[in-house]
């Protein structure tokens, strides 16, 4: 049997610059508070800093043919780091007031931080429990890439609601420790990736 758990905390601090194209006259009722008349398209460039705190846990239990426990293992890994981040966001507005839009965005970051991992393995051998441990803490540089596409609605000048699909990849932060520790590996990839539905509410002031 095998179990895994992961906690990911991400912190972004960004500065953005927006460029508009093909402005469509719509008076003062435009939902976008930054432009009168409304833009048909806009592109936003972002430069900032990303910080991350990632904790991973893997545990395995191996039984023999009689169902008795033969060995157990635990892998704990934590990465804490920060680094520069760049991104681009493109939006296409619809409806007379420009309240609806579709969007696509991508970003990349390069995080420098500390990777700490602890591996413990308990093995039963003729009634004797043997413990094998492996611990390490060393610097690591992690590239991060992500892409998101979706649709958004801006019911007022200050509120924006969006829903989309996010693809995110953390290079060189995969589950290879479990494989190298002689456990039953959950995954031997060196890439940790996520994809799924994202829903976001934004308050502009």
């Amino acid at each position: 049997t095998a179990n895994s758990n992961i906690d990911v905390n991400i912190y972004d601090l960004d500065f953005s610059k927006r460029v508009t194209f093909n402005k469509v006259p719509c008076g003062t009722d435009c939902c976008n508070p930054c432009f009168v008349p409304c833009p048909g398209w806009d592109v936003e460039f972002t430069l900032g800093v990303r910080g991350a705190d990632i904790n991973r846990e893997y545990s395995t239990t191996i039984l023999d043919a009689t169902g008795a426990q033969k060995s157990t293992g635990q892998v704990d890994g934590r990465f804490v780091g920060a680094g520069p981040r760049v991104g681009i966001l493109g939006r296409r507005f619809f409806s007379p007031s420009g309240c609806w839009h579709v969007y696509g965005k991508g970003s990349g970051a390069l995080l420098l931080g500390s990777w700490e991992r602890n591996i413990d393995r308990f093995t039963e051998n003729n009634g004797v429990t043997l413990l094998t441990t492996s611990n390490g803490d060393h610097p690591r540089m992690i590239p991060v890439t992500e892409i998101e596409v979706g649709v958004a609605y801006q019911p007022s000048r200050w509120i924006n609601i969006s829903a989309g699909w996010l693809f995110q990849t953390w290079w060189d932060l995969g589950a290879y420790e479990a494989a190298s520790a002689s456990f039953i590996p959950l995954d031997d990839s060196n890439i940790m990736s996520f994809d799924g539905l994202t829903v976001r509410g934004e308050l502009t002031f």
Side-chain angles (χ1 to χ4, degrees), residues 6-8 52-56 58 77-80 111 114-116 140-144 169-177 187 189-194:
I6 185 167
D7 295 316
V8 179
D53 182 3
I54 300 175
N55 291 274
R56 295 205 319 258
Y58 302 92
R78 183 180 186 184
F79 173 78
V80 179
L111 310 184
S114 173
W115 173 247
E116 179 182 357
R140 178 171 290 180
M141 185 172 292
I142 304 296
V144 184
T169 299
W170 298 72
W171 304 85
D172 199 26
L173 203 59
Y176 55 90
E177 292 90 355
D187 187 3
S189 172
N190 199 27
I191 299 174
M192 182 178 70
S193 61
F194 306 95

Side-chain angles (χ1 to χ4, degrees), residues 23 30-32 61 92 102 110 115 122 126-127 129 137 145 159 162 165 167 181 196-197 201 205:
K23 292 185 178 181
C30 180
C31 287
N32 192 318
T61 301
R92 173 66 171 96
V102 293
L110 189 61
W115 173 247
F122 297 88
N126 295 325
T129 301
D137 186 354
T145 54
I159 299 174
S162 63
W165 203 265
F167 304 87
L197 178 68
F205 58 90

Side-chain angles (χ1 to χ4, degrees), residues 45-69:
F45 301 94
T46 299
L47 177 64
V49 176
R50 165 166 290 185
D53 182 3
I54 300 175
N55 291 274
R56 295 205 319 258
E57 296 179 357
Y58 302 92
S59 61
T60 62
T61 301
I62 300 175
L63 308 178
D64 62 19
T66 66
Q69 181 174 295

Side-chain angles (χ1 to χ4, degrees), residues 44 46 85 87-91 103-107 146-150 162 165-167 198 200 202:
E44 184 176 284
T46 299
R85 175 176 179 267
I88 185 171
L89 164 69
R91 302 188 296 178
Y103 68 90
K105 64 179 182 178
S107 68
E146 58 187 34
I147 297 174
E148 183 181 338
V149 293
S162 63
W165 203 265
L166 173 67
F167 304 87
T198 177
R200 183 182 297 108
E202 298 175 72

Side-chain angles (χ1 to χ4, degrees), residues 17-137:
K17 176 66 176 179
R18 183 174 296 148
V19 180
T20 63
F21 304 92
N22 189 27
K23 292 185 178 181
V24 180
C26 62
T28 59
D29 295 328
C30 180
C31 287
N32 192 318
C34 300
F35 306 103
V36 177
C38 299
W41 294 80
D42 73 6
V43 176
E44 184 176 284
F45 301 94
T46 299
L47 177 64
V49 176
R50 165 166 290 185
D53 182 3
I54 300 175
N55 291 274
R56 295 205 319 258
E57 296 179 357
Y58 302 92
S59 61
T60 62
T61 301
I62 300 175
L63 308 178
D64 62 19
T66 66
Q69 181 174 295
K70 184 177 180 181
S71 65
T72 61
Q74 179 75 31
V75 179
D76 298 315
R78 183 180 186 184
F79 173 78
V80 179
R85 175 176 179 267
V86 295
I88 185 171
L89 164 69
R91 302 188 296 178
R92 173 66 171 96
F93 295 87
F94 297 95
S95 77
S97 60
C99 291
W100 287 92
H101 67 266
V102 293
Y103 68 90
K105 64 179 182 178
S107 68
L110 189 61
L111 310 184
L112 177 62
S114 173
W115 173 247
E116 179 182 357
R117 59 110 175 96
N118 300 288
I119 301 174
D120 297 308
R121 186 168 189 258
F122 297 88
T123 304
E124 293 288 339
N125 187 9
N126 295 325
V128 179
T129 301
L130 304 177
L131 170 62
T132 303
T133 63
S134 176
N135 304 308
D137 186 354

